[in-house]
Amino acid sequence: GTVAVFDLEGAELHRFASHTGRVNAVCIDKQGDFVASCSDDGSVVLRSLDGEETAKYTYNTPLYALALDPKFSKKGSRQFCCGGQDGQLVVNVRGWFSAKDVVLHANEGAIYAVTWHGALIAWANEKGVKVYDFQEEQRVAYVDRPLSSAPPGRHRCHLEWVSEACLAIAWGDFVKVCAVRERPDNAAPHRASVDPEVLPPKYVEIVQMYKTDFIMSGFASMDDRTLLLSHWT
């Protein structure tokens, strides 16, 4: 249940005994001010890296995935989303006086990955990957799980926002690169959740797909490069 933070030279900067169970996800906010983690013990722990601020939230399920609001370091925007074994994707939203949990999605199997960039939240469950516009409160797209991939609990999906409009999905030995685009001739905001006949203003197009010779255990982008952590069988 320990979380360790290192610099790029490999020197350990912090070590926190944050959980009583296995840590399943760790993330650091864009400004590098906070580290967050979630665990099999059902808790989310948020810690400041340069101060004493800390917070703990407890859920009644093992948690597998966690992402911070891109504006998390701002005092009035300490929001995060998480999901796990019970299949609920929850966003902890800040109100005037307290925080509350809002369920964005449920009932499609465990949540194995989540990432948040700009207004867009993407998450993976047993069916595939969904993209949601948190600002407009609209579902943007669904990308199905590769048919050849192993069960999600065995080979988890990895999600990476390459840019604000480009999402990479790495699942097993298969990668899909998705572009989030604005639908033409759709200037006025629409609420697709209210009227199913109205298309949302954004949509996703798969612009690249490729298969690797190995199982991916990690996936990240750095500048113009793609970094893959492989698992050979």
Side-chain angles (χ1 to χ4, degrees), residues 174-196:
F174 206 82
V175 176
K176 293 182 180 182
V177 180
C178 307
V180 180
R181 305 193 189 281
E182 295 286 341
R183 200 175 300 279
D185 301 321
N186 198 6
H190 289 141
R191 297 290 178 181
S193 58
V194 176
D195 183 356

Side-chain angles (χ1 to χ4, degrees), residues 3-136:
V3 175
V5 180
F6 297 82
D7 66 16
L8 294 178
E9 302 299 322
E12 184 175 311
L13 304 177
H14 304 276
R15 181 173 289 266
F16 306 113
S18 298
H19 304 278
T20 59
R22 180 180 62 182
V23 176
N24 291 318
V26 176
C27 55
I28 295 176
D29 74 299
K30 279 191 171 183
Q31 284 67 39
D33 296 330
F34 291 86
V35 60
S37 55
C38 69
S39 166
D40 278 347
D41 65 11
S43 67
V44 170
V45 176
L46 312 170
R47 293 183 183 272
S48 170
L49 293 175
D50 57 2
E52 299 298 322
E53 186 177 348
T54 183
K56 183 175 182 177
Y57 301 82
T58 302
Y59 299 87
N60 295 319
T61 186
L63 295 175
Y64 303 149
L66 174 68
L68 296 177
D69 180 349
K71 300 177 182 177
F72 186 87
S73 62
K74 294 184 178 179
K75 271 289 186 182
S77 188
R78 297 282 196 266
Q79 300 183 140
F80 64 87
C81 58
C82 62
Q85 190 177 82
D86 68 353
Q88 289 190 338
L89 182 73
V90 174
V91 178
N92 186 269
V93 179
R94 290 288 176 178
W96 284 104
F97 302 106
S98 63
K100 66 176 182 178
D101 289 330
V102 176
V103 178
L104 285 189
H105 186 79
N107 303 322
E108 280 192 351
I111 306 292
Y112 290 102
V114 62
T115 182
W116 193 340
H117 191 77
L120 299 174
I121 300 174
W123 67 92
N125 57 27
E126 295 181 4
K127 300 286 187 180
V129 174
K130 295 183 184 294
V131 181
Y132 183 84
D133 190 323
F134 188 64
Q135 183 175 327
E136 296 292 335

